[in-house]
């Protein structure tokens, strides 16, 4: 079986990918693609990871997990997701790295299904906004302590992805930029489900809906439903044009307010992120979905 893990990151889609996919669970099940609800598997996965401590699951354990997650013997693809697969939020910036537990955790996850094909899917985010978003959710004392320990200039997604690849050389990784999610959402859904454009999916505008006016959302639904769009590139251009006209500025502009963070510093972090994306494109076994 092909088993696809959506492994984060925090402060990207906040489980929206699984929610969007669940809107299509009945249709996908008929195609041999299982999207179980998170309550059905997250506890069992966590218990199995703790019990095995990274050891490959034996045949009986793998069969037990799959029987619990999948209803049909005809299922050929299973999609599981949890934003804590790489580590809890407070571990995301420890040791001046992005998810220093990623190498261990992904190896443990992969070994849950040692007899099956496994792939990872991951949303990335500019450290200039990722770090403030993580800190915002933490209690003030923890926030101050972590802010004092972490050098944002040292945070590189490519370094984390290289550690994951080293631990899981047979496991492909698909990544995308959270900043591009409104334009890429249909492609992200299709990549993780493995379906092509001939399959109509619900929820392809779920990420756009909160950031556009009701009129804009209606225009997008009407246009995308009627227009003869030849492929992903043309669809993204159409969405981009409509966003430019109907986006709610307060929803798309991010205010960064951290002590000592200046505009030049934020620009430098963003430039470093762009360079890091170039590096990611060169990592063997990693596919970057680009806008």
């Amino acid at each position: 079986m092909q088993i696809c893990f959506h492994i984060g990151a925090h402060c990207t889609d906040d489980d929206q990918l699984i929610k969007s996919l669940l809107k299509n669970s009945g249709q996908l099940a008929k195609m041999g693609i299982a999207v179980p609800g998170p309550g059905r598997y997250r506890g069992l996965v966590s218990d199995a990871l703790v019990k095995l401590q990274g050891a490959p699951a034996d045949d009986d354990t793998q069969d037990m997990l799959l029987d619990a997650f999948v209803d049909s013997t005809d299922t050929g693809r299973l999609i599981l997701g949890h934003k804590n697969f790489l580590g809890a939020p407070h571990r995301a910036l420890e040791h001046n790295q992005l998810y220093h537990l990623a190498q261990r955790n992904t190896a443990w996850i992969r070994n849950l299904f040692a007899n099956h094909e496994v792939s990872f899917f991951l949303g990335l985010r500019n450290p200039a906004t990722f770090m403030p978003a993580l800190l915002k959710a933490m209690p003030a004392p923890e926030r101050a302590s972590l802010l004092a320990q972490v050098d944002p200039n040292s945070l590189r997604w490519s370094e984390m992805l290289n550690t994951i690849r080293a631990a899981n050389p047979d496991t492909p990784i698909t990544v995308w930029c959270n900043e591009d999610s409104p334009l890429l959402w249909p492609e992200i859904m299709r990549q993780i489900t493995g379906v092509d454009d001939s399959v109509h999916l619900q929820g392809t505008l779920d990420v756009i809906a909160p950031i556009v006016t009701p009129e804009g959302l209606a225009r997008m639904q009407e246009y995308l439903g009627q227009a003869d769009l030849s492929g992903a590139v043309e669809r993204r251009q159409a969405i981009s044009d409509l966003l430019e006209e109907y986006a709610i500025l307060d929803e798309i502009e991010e205010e960064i307010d951290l002590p000592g963070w200046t505009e030049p510093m934020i620009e430098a972090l963003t430039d470093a992120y762009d360079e890091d994306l170039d590096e990611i494109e060169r990592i063997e076994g990693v596919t970057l979905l680009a806008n």
Side-chain angles (χ1 to χ4, degrees):
M1 187 180 296
Q2 298 172 335
I3 302 175
C4 306
F5 284 97
H6 178 217
I7 57 176
H10 296 102
C11 304
T12 54
D13 72 86
D14 294 322
D15 270 347
Q16 185 57 62
L17 181 54
I18 294 299
K19 293 174 184 176
S20 295
L21 294 174
L22 282 169
K23 293 180 178 181
N24 304 275
S25 59
Q27 175 188 205
L28 292 171
K30 295 175 183 177
M31 303 171 64
I33 305 163
V35 187
R40 185 169 176 176
Y41 60 83
R42 287 183 177 171
L44 287 173
V45 167
S46 178
D47 290 345
L49 290 171
V50 171
K51 179 180 178 180
L52 292 169
Q53 294 288 300
D58 59 27
D59 293 351
D60 288 342
T61 299
Q62 292 180 66
D63 290 343
M64 179 274 292
L65 291 172
L66 291 176
D67 286 344
F69 302 160
V70 175
D71 293 322
S72 172
T73 56
D74 295 330
T75 298
R77 192 177 184 100
L78 170 65
I79 300 170
L80 308 172
H82 197 337
K83 58 189 175 183
N84 285 345
F85 274 145
L86 295 178
H90 70 279
R91 314 299 298 268
L93 299 172
E94 281 184 333
H95 302 288
N96 220 26
Q97 302 171 25
L98 290 166
Y99 295 104
H100 78 102
L101 293 176
Q103 183 174 28
R104 185 202 73 177
N105 286 5
T106 55
W108 285 23
I109 292 167
R110 200 270 170 267
N111 278 341
L112 281 182
F113 299 101
N115 298 346
H116 300 270
E117 295 179 33
V118 172
S119 53
F120 296 134
F121 294 79
L122 172 67
L124 312 177
R125 183 169 175 174
N126 184 351
T129 64
F130 179 66
M131 184 172 169
L134 275 173
L135 293 171
K136 185 178 180 180
M138 295 180 181
E142 291 182 24
R143 189 185 315 142
S145 174
L146 196 57
L147 185 59
Q149 296 174 35
V150 178
D151 174 13
N153 296 290
S154 69
L155 302 178
R156 296 289 185 274
W157 291 107
S158 59
E159 294 179 2
M160 185 201 76
L161 289 168
N162 275 315
T163 67
I164 295 175
R165 286 294 296 157
N168 308 275
D170 66 338
T171 307
I173 308 171
T174 300
V175 301
W176 58 89
C177 299
N178 185 61
E179 297 80 11
D180 293 334
S181 287
L183 300 181
L184 293 175
W185 202 243
E187 280 68 59
I188 294 168
M189 293 178 66
R190 293 183 189 285
Q191 283 287 326
I192 197 166
T193 56
V195 303
D196 59 28
D197 279 344
S198 67
V199 179
H200 175 72
L201 294 176
Q202 298 181 54
T204 57
L205 293 178
D206 284 349
V207 173
I208 292 176
I211 63 174
V212 296
T213 64
E215 178 189 2
L217 183 60
R219 285 276 290 113
M220 287 186 187
Q221 291 169 330
E222 179 184 8
Y223 182 75
L224 295 176
Q226 296 179 358
D228 183 18
L229 302 178
S230 60
V233 173
E234 189 174 345
R235 182 169 56 241
R236 288 198 297 268
Q237 185 59 55
I239 293 173
S240 179
D241 292 343
L242 290 166
L243 274 174
E244 190 171 335
E245 184 174 357
Y246 294 107
I248 303 171
L249 294 182
D250 287 346
E251 296 293 336
I252 61 175
E253 293 179 349
E254 297 182 88
E255 183 177 348
I256 300 173
D257 183 21
L258 288 178
W261 283 46
T262 63
E263 191 63 34
M265 174 185 171
I266 293 169
E267 291 177 0
L269 290 174
T270 301
D271 289 343
Y273 176 51
D274 290 338
E275 293 174 3
D276 198 33
L277 293 174
D278 291 338
E279 183 64 30
I280 287 169
E281 285 190 295
R282 293 190 284 268
I283 301 176
E284 184 179 355
V286 175
T287 300
L288 173 64
L289 301 181
N291 171 23

